Amino acid sequence: MEMEKKLAGSTAVMFASTQTLVVGTGAAGLNAAVSLVKEGVRDVVILTEGKMMGTSRNTGSDKQTYYKLTTCGETPDSVRKMAATLFDGQCVDGDLALAEAAMSLRGFYHLVDIGVPFPFNGSGEFVGYKTDHDPNQRGTSAGPLTSRYMTEALMAEAERLGIEIADGWQVIRLLVDETEGEKRIRGVLAVSVSREEQPEFLVVAAENVVYAVGGEAGMYKTSVYPGSQTGGMGPAFRAGAIGKNLTESQYGIASIKFRWNLSGTYQQVLPRYISTSADGTDEREFLPEAFESAEAMLNACFLKGYQWPFDPRKAMNMGSSLVDLLVYRETVLEGRRVFMDFRRNPSQAETDGQFDPARLSEEAYQYLSQSNGLQNTPIERLNSMNPGAIELYRSHGIDLYTEPLEIAVCAQHNNGGLAGNRWWESNIRHLFPVGEVNGSHGVYRPGGSALNAGQVGSIRAAQYIGHCYRGEALSFEEMCERFESEICDEIAYGQNALHAEGECLNLALERGQLQEWMSRAGANIMN
């Protein structure tokens, strides 16, 4: 993609054009670009803030899941059954659920073919397991970093196919015109994100834009999104894109010094939950006061391993999500700090100072017994059941043997987003929101279904573009004829906000206040 310096009115901009522009280098964006080339679209460019940024490359979990049709054993499964599971999760349109089920194996086997190391048995079956909200055994995993392996393999495939990546550009405006009442995208305006004194602005004309900017991670103070992920729905809404399910996000307990979901064995080994005042004094256990018995409390903590996402239904009758509510109360309402301490047992789990398995529910006891997890302390149990979980934190400067782990109820995934049809096309024609930015995921989504949705949606968008939208991008003169005033106004506003003396927009202060409000009143507890 050749960039030329041009004048829009009296404003200097860089200009480039491409047949299809992909915005974002996560698993969905990269797969869109790769799929476009395989559909015969040769003029494809990826625009990104940073190739190594984003959620796909920088997150994981105890066992990061990919959701697909069952491919092993005797359990019967079908496209319609999987579609029904997705649809029953609420806020998933039936046509999208059917497409995600029908295309799940195509997306999965493509990842296998390009090198993602999903495990299989001696007969070649990709063995599955039950994930949350899953009636079958559709889950599979390449380990805690499944999505990173996906992005790495897809990046290598994009490089093999010669797809150009323009790095260091943030999209700040979608350039959309309207003809006979129908909106249609014609390109984007982007700004360089390097720390130069004078940022550059880039106009990219494109026949199609695949928008893979991820979730709105930058909205929250307590977040398990990577710090490099901010989100990009704002420019789409400003351009007239329709949103859907925007209140539906997923939250759960996570560490905040190093951002990581505390699911799976982190909960099943039954660490001690404590809170302190802001200065680290006045330590106390706070869970027992809300539970009627030691067994009920320990069982709720144990079940957080399976039931990590906050679910209001599981906050009733001393369920596992009551733990989230209690952590929220301590941190947000009381202004205290909360920690999971793997060095000591919850006092309710001990008799005469020793871990007492007789205090556990039958389910928790059987699981720990069969997993060789009945040692005396949580850290010993974690080391026996999942030593990699300890090493993960050690690699980020946190030693679970010697220090407690500070936590909060954190935003983790945006289940709502931009609306799209069954080909993932927005109401703005030629604009295709794919991945987490597309609001197709549902309230009670099966674990791992978002990874499948990103792969399926990007393939579907590529198919439609490859067969229906093969026109050429507008010239610079045509772009100026339509968009010169808004390009110039946007650039002038940005320059004034960044450099106006005495009236400079304090972006850090504004964003910090927004994040504080959202975590207090617009997250798992909404006002």
Side-chain angles (χ1 to χ4, degrees):
M1 182 177 73
E2 294 185 5
M3 297 184 189
E4 299 179 81
K5 185 161 283 189
K6 300 274 191 177
L7 283 177
S10 60
T11 303
V13 297
M14 302 301 292
F15 175 75
S17 67
T18 183
Q19 204 277 338
T20 298
L21 180 71
V22 177
V23 183
T25 46
L30 288 169
N31 192 57
V34 167
S35 299
L36 281 160
V37 171
K38 292 180 178 180
E39 288 289 339
V41 182
R42 298 301 174 188
D43 187 8
V44 179
V45 173
I46 303 174
L47 196 73
T48 180
E49 291 181 57
K51 290 192 292 187
M52 306 305 290
M53 295 167 64
T55 300
S56 298
R57 185 175 287 272
N58 294 289
T59 58
S61 64
D62 187 59
K63 182 171 63 178
Q64 195 177 29
T65 300
Y66 190 100
Y67 194 67
K68 57 165 182 54
L69 272 172
T70 303
T71 56
C72 67
E74 298 179 350
T75 304
D77 201 2
S78 71
V79 168
R80 295 299 170 118
K81 285 183 178 180
M82 180 171 167
T85 299
L86 297 172
F87 181 79
D88 290 345
Q90 302 177 25
C91 293
V92 182
D93 294 341
D95 53 356
L96 299 185
L98 188 58
E100 288 181 18
M103 298 281 285
S104 67
L105 290 183
R106 174 171 174 170
F108 174 74
Y109 284 121
H110 174 249
L111 293 171
V112 171
D113 287 344
I114 63 174
V116 180
F118 289 109
F120 56 90
N121 64 20
S123 300
E125 295 175 297
F126 287 89
V127 179
Y129 55 84
K130 273 193 177 185
T131 181
D132 45 320
H133 309 303
D134 173 26
N136 284 53
Q137 293 182 320
R138 300 186 180 120
T140 186
S141 175
L145 302 177
T146 297
S147 65
R148 178 182 295 183
Y149 298 150
M150 289 166 58
T151 56
E152 289 172 345
L154 287 162
M155 180 70 78
E157 184 71 356
E159 292 171 350
R160 186 185 71 81
L161 294 172
I163 298 171
E164 182 179 353
I165 299 177
D167 202 356
W169 297 96
Q170 181 183 24
V171 170
I172 57 175
R173 191 163 188 127
L174 304 185
L175 302 174
V176 172
D177 62 16
E178 189 168 338
T179 304
E180 298 180 354
E182 184 174 76
K183 292 181 180 292
R184 187 212 199 278
I185 197 163
R186 296 291 186 175
V188 304
L189 174 65
V191 63
S192 60
V193 294
S194 62
R195 298 189 180 275
E196 298 172 1
E197 188 68 24
Q198 290 292 334
E200 287 191 304
F201 293 87
L202 170 66
V203 174
V204 182
E207 173 75 355
N208 310 291
V209 175
V210 179
Y211 206 54
V213 295
E216 291 301 288
M219 289 199 302
Y220 299 95
K221 178 182 178 182
T222 52
S223 170
V224 73
Y225 284 96
S228 61
Q229 169 69 16
T230 53
M233 272 194 253
F237 290 140
R238 190 178 179 194
I242 294 173
K244 65 189 299 185
N245 307 329
L246 293 174
T247 57
E248 303 304 333
S249 284
Q250 184 167 284
Y251 310 88
I253 291 171
S255 55
I256 57 178
K257 182 178 176 182
F258 163 58
R259 296 180 174 190
W260 199 257
N261 292 351
L262 289 165
S263 58
T265 47
Y266 289 113
Q267 301 290 345
Q268 290 158 343
V269 299
L270 302 174
R272 181 171 171 257
Y273 276 79
I274 57 173
S275 79
T276 72
S277 58
D279 62 4
T281 59
D282 187 30
E283 177 184 307
R284 67 182 181 89
E285 292 186 68
F286 60 93
L287 296 185
E289 61 202 54
F291 289 89
E292 65 183 14
S293 67
E295 180 179 312
M297 189 202 85
L298 296 172
N299 195 54
C301 294
F302 172 80
L303 289 176
K304 287 301 299 175
Y306 298 121
Q307 302 168 356
W308 179 82
F310 174 77
D311 179 351
R313 301 175 306 178
K314 295 185 177 69
M316 307 298 290
N317 301 316
M318 292 174 289
S320 61
S321 286
L322 179 55
V323 177
D324 301 74
L325 293 182
L326 296 170
V327 172
Y328 175 88
R329 183 193 68 184
E330 293 292 308
T331 54
V332 177
L333 302 184
E334 302 294 335
R336 293 171 64 84
R337 300 167 68 189
V338 173
F339 301 83
M340 285 168 57
D341 188 352
F342 292 87
R343 301 168 299 175
R344 293 176 56 188
N345 292 307
S347 56
Q348 289 71 25
E350 292 186 339
T351 299
D352 297 329
Q354 297 294 310
F355 181 60
D356 185 359
R359 296 194 171 206
L360 304 179
S361 67
E362 181 64 21
E363 180 180 5
Y365 174 78
Q366 288 297 332
Y367 182 91
L368 292 173
S369 176
Q370 293 170 11
S371 303
N372 191 27
L374 292 176
Q375 291 79 8
N376 190 48
T377 64
I379 193 67
E380 291 173 316
R381 297 191 284 274
L382 189 60
N383 184 59
S384 174
M385 295 168 63
N386 188 0
I390 300 171
E391 291 303 316
L392 173 70
Y393 277 97
R394 182 176 286 135
S395 70
H396 289 85
I398 300 171
D399 186 356
L400 299 183
Y401 279 97
T402 61
E403 60 185 299
L405 188 63
E406 189 164 9
I407 66 170
V409 181
C410 294
Q412 188 263 349
H413 190 275
N414 187 30
N415 290 344
L418 303 178
N421 64 18
R422 64 176 180 161
W423 296 101
W424 272 252
E425 185 178 17
S426 168
N427 63 293
I428 299 176
R429 297 294 157 232
H430 296 255
L431 174 66
F432 295 82
V434 302
E436 192 180 345
V437 76
N438 187 289
S440 69
H441 298 102
V443 182
Y444 299 111
R445 62 184 181 92
S449 62
L451 290 181
N452 173 63
Q455 296 302 287
V456 170
S458 52
I459 294 172
R460 296 280 286 180
Q463 288 176 321
Y464 197 84
I465 291 169
H467 290 268
C468 302
Y469 284 166
R470 298 300 291 266
E472 296 298 321
L474 298 180
S475 67
F476 180 72
E477 291 71 26
E478 290 170 316
M479 291 292 286
C480 285
E481 183 180 333
R482 288 170 166 83
F483 306 113
E484 184 177 287
S485 61
E486 63 184 90
I487 290 170
C488 294
D489 290 348
E490 188 80 6
I491 292 172
Y493 173 81
Q495 290 173 331
N496 289 336
L498 290 170
H499 301 298
E501 293 185 10
E503 297 181 3
C504 182
L505 174 68
N506 189 330
L507 182 58
L509 183 64
E510 295 272 351
R511 180 176 169 186
Q513 183 65 73
L514 170 67
Q515 292 172 322
E516 181 79 31
W517 289 340
M518 285 299 294
S519 286
R520 175 175 291 272
N524 63 311
I525 306 299
M526 289 193 182
N527 183 335

